[in-house]
Structure formats: structure tokens, C-alpha cells
Amino acid sequence: MIKPHGSDTLKPLFVYDPIKHRDLLHEAESLPSLMLNSAAAANAVMLGAGYFNPLTGYMNAADAMTVAEHMKTTDGLFWPVPVLNLTNNIETVKGHRRIALRDPNVEEHPILAVMDVQDVEEFSDHEIDFIAEKVFRTLDPAHAGVATFKSLGKYAVSGPIQVLSFSYFQTEFPDTFRTAVEIRNEIAERGWKKVVAFQTRNPMHLAHEELCKMGMKAVGADGVVIHMLLGRLKKGDIPAPVRDAAIRKMVELYFPPNSAMVTGYGFDMLYAGPREAVLHAVFRQNMGATHFIIGRDHAGVGDYYGAFDAQTIFDQEVPKGALQIEIFNADHTAWSKKLNKVVMMRDVPDHTKEDFVLLSGTKVREMLGQGIAPPPEFSRPEVAKILMEYYQKEVAGKA
Amino acid sequence: MIKPHGSDTLKPLFVYDPIKHRDLLHEAESLPSLMLNSAAAANAVMLGAGYFNPLTGYMNAADAMTVAEHMKTTDGLFWPVPVLNLTNNIETVKGHRRIALRDPNVEEHPILAVMDVQDVEEFSDHEIDFIAEKVFRTLDPAHAGVATFKSLGKYAVSGPIQVLSFSYFQTEFPDTFRTAVEIRNEIAERGWKKVVAFQTRNPMHLAHEELCKMGMKAVGADGVVIHMLLGRLKKGDIPAPVRDAAIRKMVELYFPPNSAMVTGYGFDMLYAGPREAVLHAVFRQNMGATHFIIGRDHAGVGDYYGAFDAQTIFDQEVPKGALQIEIFNADHTAWSKKLNKVVMMRDVPDHTKEDFVLLSGTKVREMLGQGIAPPPEFSRPEVAKILMEYYQKEVAGKA
């Protein structure tokens, strides 16, 4: 099996031993506590679940700077994006060596982790900008990732953590959330050697299904791990249970037995495009995938990144041998009316836009809400049915 | 795929919709609340996870009585053991139609479920005894199950529930706890048609491994779901992560690819022997297993049940067609020195005790603690290694 990034075995920071877990929770109740921001909380969940192996906690300023500039820590570990605990509320932290980290995303803010504080360092505005510019390739305050990052705080509270919960991800998505440990275990159980990981936040239509199959075929994979980004519902989002049911129906009907796993993980989108694509690859290696599908505009937003920047970064900036996982570079896929099948757009340079069956997200949602199934060249009818039932209820609910 | 018990699709009582979940939790905060006993809390988790399909909540007195006597509800649903919410604290409940149920097993007692109270009924001592005698086949107060049952309370608070958490099972066993929904999903993904379920609370030695394989072979199964009873550590128990690692190593090395799943569920042992075996079969059907292995003394305690009562009950008391899942009746298995393989004891009537490689649990733990691997006829060396590492640390810790 492919090794985790940076170590021989996976070392998740979640405290699995129930006695130790209980004792730590008790101890934490009497520790000074810091309310995390959402980004730091998301990092804790990823560290706890083994996805950020081999990191042992939040980076200090020096590591963050060198990771931002060179994609490696001061110890030489390859890592694409600083993993920070930024705050402005250092009063409760100052002078303490051990603190409790509280979860901003769960009511009553339970303890998410216990931290041994090694440093509390202030970033200058110049340093914050330096990191943002390296990670996001822009300082445009209109870039959602930059705006968020610059709002998190000036102080980096760094040191190892022991994670005590998976925040709301495990409780709100009980059938879908998976740790990297679990996915590794299941890959081993299934006997898969070559494993493609596929990132999604949305229901999968025919083009996505075929993209997975193209990736699997190209690399000779035994299976695909469909790995959904889980998070709180935002306006216009389809609820996770509906999305999951639609994806599971697709797997049941259109994938050979034992060739697809439907799973999810909890993190915040950074919108860091290329750098985020590399981070995505790192944590897919940690969960045991040997290959990762990266398409157009992976993890991008607006027009900040070139369509294939999230692919070329692997050739141009990731040192050879830094990662074991391999990238399957993809383009958009869509049904070709000329060829009567789903194709990857780059493979049909003679096609014009009119040669494809393309529907905007808005258009698809509109159709589904009216009970009109998208054409079978776009959606599997059984998948469309599940989505239609949801959108029609939505429409009825609003009427 | 095999249908759940009593309905066409699984209807878990967990509230998956995050908005509804949040709203219910908010509402529950202002409802009168009842602290559950551990047995009722375990029932709520099983109801939430879909294992107790198609029940919609806790049974009333009439259902409990007829289930105890005839293994069916007043509506005619086959069900082997009353699913009750017993209490003596009815002051907070009386006169309220909707209450919050609090979790006795998690600190600060968070809300486990919201209940629409349909009835609060007092059982007479005679009725309590009637139920206990039917379920446990004894009224001996020295029987752990009887003792527990009789201590739970005289009032049955009945009605449908909506479940809001999986108690500590999901948080303390994040890589192993599975809902019936998840196991069904995974069986579908793996493409298994015939699926054997195997109940365990302990690490699996060679005899258990071979028992699973015998069951699989006998019924022509595509796979086995190793389904571990999860619970808080008791004295002498091996911690779940160690047990899991040992079982996973066995699966990795000694089961063909895609033929075994390692999973767990959260419940309390009832020690009801035959009746509990039937309940075990019901919830294995709900998770999608087509066959269930029942061995000697399944779910028994002491000498209250005959060695094969948990098998004969299926022939003698479970009406034909009441369950879809089939039982694989097993006997103890052990290595035969005469035949040089693991055999089922009933298949070798010529053997005496001396013809088998048998080691008591105490003896095995002692050996492991001293760093002595049990013989390969008893334990897979790679499994023994994981257990030895744990027991030696235990010994060192105590020294």
C-alpha cells in the first residue's frame, strides 16, 4: 500500500485511547481555552483524522514562511500550505504552556483539542501579505481565500495538538464522514492496489461519472474513492443526504462491484487553486490513494488561476519524489453529439461548444425543480429522479 | 439486496437533515427532559442507526407484554425483545407530550433524542417478572440481565423518538462504529449478494477466523461483516484500537480481497441468550446481512441456557418467514491435532478434549503478557504480535 506522506505509518492526532481521551477532556476543562477560528478548527479535524500526516500540530511562523515560499518546513518536509492557528485573542493564551482549543462551529463550543503551546508569534502585515501572496498568488481583497486568511488574526499560536473530536462532521454526516485511517483500512480490506481519488462537492452527473471511469481506466485502478467535501449547508446547496443518495445510486447502478467507495471529509475550501490542489493530493496520499484526478480550475475561484495551473504546479514546483501519489490530469468532460459518448474536451479539438450537451448548474436546478429530467446524455435517469424529488419538494416548500 | 425487517427500505430514526437536527436540538433545550438509563440509551442508538428497523420508538406496555410472550407487537410485527424506556422518575415527564431524552453515558448528559410521549404506564411487579421470565427464561436475581432489567424502573415511557446523536460510540470509536445504513451502503458498493455477519467482542484467533470462513463457504457468501460490540472498557478488556488492529491485520493477511468488513455497533449486552440471538439476527438483517453465524452459548451467561438454545429457538419459536436472514448454526471450533486443521467440534465426535489445541482466555493473556506467542495452531503470529505488544506494555505499566 502507498505510504502516507512523510512517515511509514499514519499517525492521526485523534486520541483513540478512551481512558486518555477522557483524562485529556477532564484536564482541558481546567485549562485556559482559546476559541479557534473556523480555518484553524478545520485544520484540527484534518490533523486528527490523519489527513495532514505527518504534521503534529500547528506550524510556527518560521515554518509557515518557508512553507509559503518553498513548500517545505524548516525541517525539510514537503508541505504546500501553512497549517496555522491564527488569532488576535492572545490574552488567554499568553504565558500558558498548555491550552484547550474550542470549536467555533458547534454550539456551546466544546473542546476540539488540547495544545502544547510552543510559541506565540506576531506576524507583521508584510509577513501576512507574503504568505497570502505565495499561497493564493494574489493579494486581491476580493479573492475569498485572501479575504478570509487576512481576517484570521496576526498571532500564530503554534505547537503539537491532541485532537478530541471531529467537530460536527462526524455527527452531522454520520454515514459519510471518514477519517484517513478508515479509508486506508477499507482500501486494504477491499484489496485495491491502485486507487483513484475524486474530489467533489456536488451530485455527480454523467460527465463526472465518466471522468472517474476515464481516470480509473488510464491508470489501471482497482477502484475510485469518491471523496466529498462535507460542510454546513449554504444557500443553494443540495443537502448532503440527497447528494449522497444520488451518488450512491450512481455507484450502485453504473460502477462494477467493489470499484467505488462513497466517502467524505471535513475541511474548509481555501480557494487557493494550485497550492490547494497540491494539499488535496497530499491528503489523498495519506488516505491511501495512489492517484488523484485534477481537472480544470481545481479549487480555484474567479479568474485568478489559469485553467490548468493546478496541474502544472505538480510538474513545475513539486520536487520530484516529494509525493508518491500521481496526478491524473483531466479536462472538462461532456457528451459529444458527434461521437455519441462522453469525451474529454481536450481530446476533441475539432468540437465547438455546440457539439456538446452542456447545461449550467442554474439551468439544471431549474429543470429538476420543474420535474423535468435533464437529458440522459447529461444525467442518469435514476440519479435525476432522486434530485428531482428533492428540488420539487424545495419548490413546493417555497410556494 | 435483502430487505430490512418489517419494511421495504431502512428507516433509521437519526435526524439526518442538518436544519431539522439543529432545530430539534434547539427545541429540546427547552423541553422537560428525562435522563435515560443505559439500556434505554442503547436502544435509542440502535433505533437511530437503523438497526431496530421498523420500530419508531419505545414500546408501550401492551407491546412489551406481547413481545415478551409471543415475540410480536400488538400490530403483529415480529420482534424478539421489548424495546423499552423504563424509569422511576416520571415527575418530569408526567403531563408532557414532548420531552428530551438525555444521555447517561456522556458527560454533561447531552440530548440523545426527542420523544413524543404517547403513554406513561406503570408495570406491576408481576408484569415486570413476566417480561423478565419470558425474555431471560429465568428470574434468578443472580442473572446479570435479570438483575439489570429489574433495576431499570417500573414506568414505561413510550412513543416515537427522533434521534440526535449516536452517544459516545461514534466519538470514541470513530474508525469502527457503523450505522446499519452505512453497512448496507458498503455491501451495495462492494457488490456482495450473500453476506455473513459475525458477532464478536474480542480479538479473533485462528478458530474464529476459520469459523467465519466455514460459514462463508457453507452459504456461498461473497463476504463477511465482522460486527464488533463496542462499549466502554471494562477491567480485563482489550482496548478497542488494539482489538481492531489485530482483527484488521487478520483480514489483511488471511482473507481474500473484498471478502471481509471490520465494523462495530453500540449496544448493551442483555445476556438473554436465545431471545438475544434472535434480536441479533434481526439487526443483522437490517444492516444487509443474509446470514448470521450463531455458535454455542450465543449471548448467554452462566449455565442458564443450553449450549444450542440460541440456535433451536429459530426452529422452534421464530415463525416461518418472520425473518429473511438465515442462521448458520455453528459449534465451537479448534485446531485438531489429529487432522492438522481447525475443525468444528460437532464434526469430529471421535475427538477428546486432548485432541484439540485449547487455551483459556486467562492463559492466552498470561502468555501474551510474558511475550510468549501462542502456538500458530491457536493464533496467527501477526495477530499475536499486536496483542503481545499491548499486553507487554500493560505488564510494564503495572510493574
Side-chain angles (χ1 to χ4, degrees), chain A residues 12 14 16-19 21-22 25-26 29 107-108 164-166 170-179 181-182 185-186 188-192 233 239-241 248 251-252 256-263, chain B residues 14 16-19 21-22 25-26 29 107-108 164-166 170-179 181-182 185-186 188-192 232-233 239-241 248 251-252 256-263:
Chain A
F14 185 80
Y16 283 91
D17 183 313
I19 308 292
H21 190 280
R22 188 199 58 195
L25 212 50
H26 274 281
E29 296 292 349
E107 241 173 312
E108 292 172 19
L164 297 173
S165 119
F166 291 116
Q170 201 172 31
T171 47
E172 289 192 14
F173 310 102
D175 295 331
T176 308
F177 176 80
R178 292 283 183 279
T179 64
V181 182
E182 286 181 283
N185 284 339
E186 196 174 327
E189 283 178 10
R190 287 170 179 259
W192 294 355
L233 221 58
R248 291 210 165 92
V251 166
E252 183 191 330
N258 193 30
S259 72
M261 278 167 61
V262 183
T263 64
Chain B
F14 185 80
Y16 283 91
D17 183 312
I19 308 292
H21 190 281
R22 188 200 60 197
L25 211 49
H26 274 282
E29 297 292 350
E107 241 173 312
E108 291 171 21
L164 297 172
S165 120
F166 291 116
Q170 199 171 35
T171 47
E172 289 193 15
F173 311 101
D175 296 331
T176 307
F177 176 81
R178 293 281 184 279
T179 63
V181 183
E182 285 180 284
N185 284 338
E186 197 175 327
E189 283 178 10
R190 286 169 179 260
W192 293 356
R232 288 260 162 81
L233 220 57
R248 290 209 165 91
V251 166
E252 182 191 331
N258 192 32
S259 72
M261 280 168 59
V262 184
T263 65

Side-chain angles (χ1 to χ4, degrees), chain B residues 73-151:
Chain B
T73 65
T74 51
D75 286 343
L77 175 77
F78 176 77
W79 199 269
V81 176
V83 173
L84 287 165
N85 178 15
L86 291 174
T87 185
N88 284 324
N89 309 317
I90 51 161
E91 294 318 309
T92 53
V93 174
K94 249 184 182 164
H96 294 288
R97 299 198 40 191
R98 200 163 161 93
I99 60 173
L101 305 180
R102 293 198 173 266
D103 190 336
N105 297 316
V106 175
E107 241 173 312
E108 291 171 21
H109 309 306
I111 288 156
L112 188 51
V114 167
M115 180 175 192
D116 290 304
V117 181
Q118 289 190 331
D119 258 313
V120 180
E121 298 162 284
E122 185 177 0
F123 279 119
S124 67
D125 290 345
H126 174 77
E127 286 168 325
I128 288 283
D129 280 356
F130 179 85
I131 293 173
E133 210 279 329
K134 289 291 178 188
V135 171
F136 298 102
R137 299 189 176 188
T138 174
L139 282 174
D140 187 346
H143 182 292
V146 172
T148 302
F149 178 70
K150 292 189 68 167
S151 73

Side-chain angles (χ1 to χ4, degrees), chain B residues 43-335:
Chain B
N43 285 337
V45 170
M46 294 297 275
L47 288 161
Y51 285 114
F52 280 1
N53 192 81
L55 302 185
T56 57
Y58 295 105
M59 293 178 183
N60 61 21
D63 278 328
M65 293 297 281
T66 171
V67 163
E69 187 166 9
H70 304 294
M71 295 209 284
K72 60 183 182 191
T73 65
T74 51
D75 286 343
L77 175 77
F78 176 77
W79 199 269
V81 176
V83 173
L84 287 165
N85 178 15
L86 291 174
T87 185
N88 284 324
N89 309 317
I90 51 161
E91 294 318 309
T92 53
V93 174
K94 249 184 182 164
H96 294 288
R97 299 198 40 191
R98 200 163 161 93
I99 60 173
L101 305 180
R102 293 198 173 266
D103 190 336
N105 297 316
V106 175
E107 241 173 312
E108 291 171 21
H109 309 306
I111 288 156
L112 188 51
V114 167
M115 180 175 192
D116 290 304
V117 181
Q118 289 190 331
D119 258 313
V120 180
E121 298 162 284
E122 185 177 0
F123 279 119
S124 67
D125 290 345
H126 174 77
E127 286 168 325
I128 288 283
D129 280 356
F130 179 85
I131 293 173
E133 210 279 329
K134 289 291 178 188
V135 171
F136 298 102
R137 299 189 176 188
T138 174
L139 282 174
D140 187 346
H143 182 292
V146 172
T148 302
F149 178 70
K150 292 189 68 167
S151 73
L152 297 176
K154 299 184 65 169
Y155 294 89
V157 184
S158 58
I161 64 169
Q162 295 174 282
V163 177
L164 297 172
S165 120
F166 291 116
S167 187
Y168 67 94
F169 298 107
Q170 199 171 35
T171 47
E172 289 193 15
F173 311 101
D175 296 331
T176 307
F177 176 81
R178 293 281 184 279
T179 63
V181 183
E182 285 180 284
I183 294 179
R184 276 197 168 255
N185 284 338
E186 197 175 327
I187 288 171
E189 283 178 10
R190 286 169 179 260
W192 293 356
K193 304 297 175 205
K194 287 194 180 175
V195 182
V196 172
F198 180 71
Q199 154 87 22
T200 185
R201 285 185 282 170
N202 297 306
M204 291 169 70
H205 292 286
L206 186 61
H208 312 114
E209 176 192 323
E210 289 295 331
L211 174 53
C212 286
K213 289 177 177 172
M214 287 175 197
M216 291 168 75
K217 196 176 164 195
V219 308
D222 302 297
V224 59
V225 181
I226 296 166
H227 201 218
M228 293 185 278
L229 180 68
L230 303 173
R232 288 260 162 81
L233 220 57
K234 291 177 292 293
K235 204 168 163 287
D237 279 1
I238 200 158
V242 180
R243 174 186 63 180
D244 294 7
I247 291 178
R248 290 209 165 91
K249 181 57 80 178
M250 172 195 78
V251 166
E252 182 191 331
L253 296 178
Y254 298 106
F255 280 75
N258 192 32
S259 72
M261 280 168 59
V262 184
T263 65
Y265 69 104
F267 194 51
D268 285 2
M269 279 301 292
L270 305 174
Y271 304 105
R275 283 290 185 104
E276 190 166 6
V278 179
L279 183 67
H280 279 184
V282 170
F283 68 73
R284 267 52 183 245
Q285 179 176 334
N286 279 333
M287 78 186 193
T290 56
H291 295 79
F292 180 44
I293 298 174
I294 295 188
R296 253 180 199 266
D297 298 318
H298 190 96
V301 63
D303 294 323
Y304 294 96
Y305 311 109
F308 298 106
D309 285 0
Q311 298 175 352
T312 50
I313 188 174
F314 286 91
D315 304 318
Q316 295 170 0
E317 297 182 41
V318 177
K320 245 193 162 45
L323 293 178
Q324 302 283 301
I325 194 169
E326 293 172 44
I327 305 306
F328 176 72
N329 289 331
D331 191 2
H332 280 326
T333 48
W335 184 273

Side-chain angles (χ1 to χ4, degrees), chain A residues 128-147 149-150 270-275 301-305:
Chain A
I128 288 283
D129 280 357
F130 179 86
I131 293 173
E133 210 279 330
K134 289 291 178 186
V135 170
F136 298 102
R137 298 189 177 187
T138 175
L139 283 173
D140 186 345
H143 182 291
V146 171
F149 178 70
K150 292 189 69 166
L270 306 174
Y271 303 106
R275 283 290 186 104
V301 61
D303 293 323
Y304 294 96
Y305 311 108

